[in-house]
Amino acid sequence: MPILVMKFGGTSVATLDRISRAAKRVGREVANGYDVIVIVSAMSGKTNELVGWVDETSPFYDAREYDAVVSSGEQVTAGLMALTLQEMDIPARSWQGWQVPLKTTSAHSAARIEEIPTDNINAKFGEGMKVAVVAGFQGVSPEGRITTLGRGGSDTTAVAFAAAFGADRCDIFTDVDGVYTTDPRICDKARKLEKIAFEEMLELASLGAKVLQTRSVELAMRFGVKLRVLSSFEDNNENAGTLVCAEEDIMESNVVAGVAYSRDEAKMTLISVADRPGIAAAIFVPLSEAGVNVDMIVQNISEEGRTDMTFSCPVDQVARAQKAMQQAKDEGEINFHDLVADTDVAKVSVVGIGMRSHAGVAAKMFDQLSREGINIKVITTSEIKISVLIDRKYLELAVQALHDAFELEKAA
Ligand code: ASP
Ligand code: MG
């Protein structure tokens, strides 16, 4: 029997009624001749509640117990989904991560998947079971302890199962009907994409388009898993949602696939640091050790052996960055005249694999921003992405203007 993986996110299993709607969808695929592996999230809000309980009980908690607590939301939905399917006369049973067993590293709360043996579940399919309901987000460490894969990890569970079982497709059911050219909440011309390349989705996901956990996209790309994002609130056919797939499977696409943004950024500049070998390491090693996620980095041309070093990071990490830099200065590792933090900036990026073969994307982006009178503070580029830092108050305007400039409301 061909296998299908269907993953239901928190909002799609938020109530018994929604679990029942999801189960009906699963039932249809069983009727279509599939053996189905269903991956479930916890009911929406549940994981946050569990994390809150852990924090309240033990501020510097034992990560193994954190995982024992926060993984429990998925246990509940897996059992309820299996019961619902049984009530529909569909042979189904639930599996906890450790029962599969989904083997992970021992990095509690951020474990990585090492192996998913298929024999247990395949044996049950062989005996006539039609649906294996698997608790997402969780696994088991070599020490036999329950692990979790990081927030949003059920997406990664789903893709990993699709890869391990050679599933025809991995459908991710969520509360939006696909991946959009940009955030529809700030740009009403945003258009749902029929298809998007793995590389583009990776950039969009890491820029905060929260539809899929970034790691799940990485995995899907590595193993060539056909990944589809679709709404569990609409009745949809074969072609609903957005297919995340290999570049070769997309015939025509716009040069730019989407405009992404990250609202809460900060720009920090170390004024007048000595321009000598090792200075970048002396700055960025302490920042990384302090847990600061540095994104853009610009080093200015130096004058008389001194230079300015600018970097961006999430705005809530500014205090941490300041502390790390002051400490490095006090210890004599670096010397700077001043550290200036601009906490009112946002990042806007255009993403598209078409940039590899088309010139002029950056020019068009900068031109459009200048027409709107938006000043660019920092620019970085990669093969398929151009990002700028601008004043946060212009974020919406910039996103809308770029969406217009690249005519993203029109399909290729
Ligand atoms: N329930 C977990 C979370 O909210 C995992 C998931 O739903 O993907 O992070
Ligand atoms: Mg999610």
Side-chain angles (χ1 to χ4, degrees):
M1 288 282 197
I3 289 183
L4 202 62
V5 171
M6 301 172 78
K7 182 254 171 179
F8 293 94
T11 47
S12 308
V13 293
T15 60
L16 296 185
D17 191 52
R18 289 196 185 163
I19 291 177
S20 150
R21 290 185 53 165
K24 287 197 183 101
R25 239 170 235 287
V26 175
R28 284 205 289 278
E29 297 297 358
V30 171
N32 286 340
Y34 282 109
D35 280 347
V36 182
I37 299 175
V38 172
I39 311 290
V40 287
S41 284
M43 289 174 164
S44 64
K46 194 69 210 175
T47 310
N48 286 343
E49 182 183 41
L50 296 167
V51 170
W53 287 348
V54 171
D55 284 337
E56 209 179 313
T57 308
S58 173
F60 298 101
Y61 51 73
D62 174 345
R64 292 164 297 191
E65 303 306 345
Y66 166 96
D67 278 350
V69 176
V70 304
S71 62
S72 65
E74 275 75 7
Q75 174 161 349
V76 173
T77 39
L80 289 172
M81 177 65 81
L83 287 172
T84 309
L85 289 161
Q86 289 171 5
E87 287 296 322
M88 294 163 59
D89 291 325
I90 297 169
R93 70 155 274 195
S94 69
W95 304 78
Q96 301 302 298
W98 63 268
Q99 292 172 313
V100 173
L102 186 149
K103 298 181 188 170
T104 72
T105 60
S106 359
H108 285 276
S109 83
R112 301 191 74 86
I113 300 174
E114 303 255 81
E115 193 196 345
I116 304 180
T118 55
D119 37 339
N120 283 337
I121 287 178
N122 274 334
K124 288 287 169 195
F125 279 140
E127 290 167 20
M129 178 187 69
K130 284 282 142 203
V131 184
V133 186
V134 178
F137 179 53
Q138 51 166 273
V140 59
S141 72
E143 295 77 29
R145 301 295 303 261
I146 294 171
T147 54
T148 62
L149 309 178
R151 298 305 305 272
S154 294
D155 295 333
T156 301
T157 308
V159 172
F161 268 84
F165 284 81
D168 280 7
R169 221 173 48 230
C170 180
D171 284 349
I172 307 278
F173 290 90
T174 176
D175 48 8
V176 292
D177 61 354
V179 179
Y180 278 72
T181 49
T182 195
D183 186 345
R185 286 170 305 183
I186 68 173
C187 176
D188 55 15
K189 291 187 197 159
R191 177 176 55 87
K192 184 173 75 73
L193 293 158
E194 235 168 86
K195 291 182 176 181
I196 186 164
F198 289 126
E199 290 91 338
E200 293 169 333
M201 190 64 224
L202 263 183
E203 293 286 4
L204 295 177
S206 61
L207 285 167
K210 291 202 181 65
V211 232
L212 290 171
Q213 197 194 35
T214 311
R215 273 166 63 199
S216 72
V217 185
E218 277 166 13
L219 260 191
M221 181 158 95
R222 177 137 38 98
F223 292 99
V225 172
K226 260 197 187 173
L227 189 59
R228 195 161 68 131
V229 177
L230 67 173
S231 164
S232 65
F233 301 114
E234 284 165 26
D235 275 322
N236 27 42
N237 60 19
E238 280 279 291
N239 301 314
T242 301
L243 190 69
V244 189
C245 58
E247 202 176 326
E248 301 78 60
D249 296 333
I250 304 178
M251 285 285 266
E252 286 287 349
S253 65
N254 288 325
V255 177
V256 169
V259 180
Y261 68 87
S262 157
R263 187 181 297 272
D264 298 311
E265 297 288 313
K267 169 180 165 246
M268 318 238 353
T269 304
L270 286 154
I271 313 269
S272 186
V273 290
D275 189 8
R276 57 161 174 87
I279 186 65
I283 293 169
F284 293 105
V285 170
L287 286 171
S288 113
E289 282 169 359
V292 178
N293 297 313
V294 172
D295 178 30
M296 303 164 129
I297 299 175
V298 178
Q299 182 178 346
N300 289 76
I301 294 170
S302 62
E303 266 176 64
E304 289 160 22
R306 316 282 303 176
T307 184
D308 293 345
M309 190 79 87
T310 299
F311 61 90
S312 72
C313 68
V315 77
D316 59 3
Q317 295 179 359
V318 165
R320 231 187 281 173
Q322 282 166 329
K323 194 171 156 212
M325 290 297 88
Q326 191 54 48
Q327 204 172 331
K329 190 178 184 181
D330 295 344
E331 286 166 3
E333 299 295 329
I334 52 174
N335 190 357
F336 54 87
H337 174 64
D338 200 1
L339 175 54
V340 182
D342 180 350
T343 53
D344 294 317
V345 295
K347 182 174 64 173
V348 179
S349 311
V350 297
V351 173
I353 44 177
M355 281 182 216
R356 287 193 196 126
S357 49
H358 284 77
V361 176
K364 193 172 198 169
M365 179 179 191
F366 304 154
D367 182 51
Q368 184 71 7
L369 293 172
S370 90
R371 281 168 201 274
E372 300 292 344
I374 300 172
N375 186 33
I376 300 172
K377 304 191 155 194
V378 179
I379 302 169
T380 55
T381 64
S382 77
E383 214 191 354
I384 65 162
K385 181 178 73 176
I386 304 164
S387 301
V388 296
L389 223 49
I390 59 170
D391 277 331
R392 189 174 301 130
K393 63 179 180 221
Y394 296 130
L395 176 63
E396 280 81 3
L397 177 62
V399 169
Q400 290 155 5
L402 293 172
H403 201 273
D404 282 345
F406 291 101
E407 300 183 36
L408 299 187
E409 73 283 1
K410 292 188 212 150

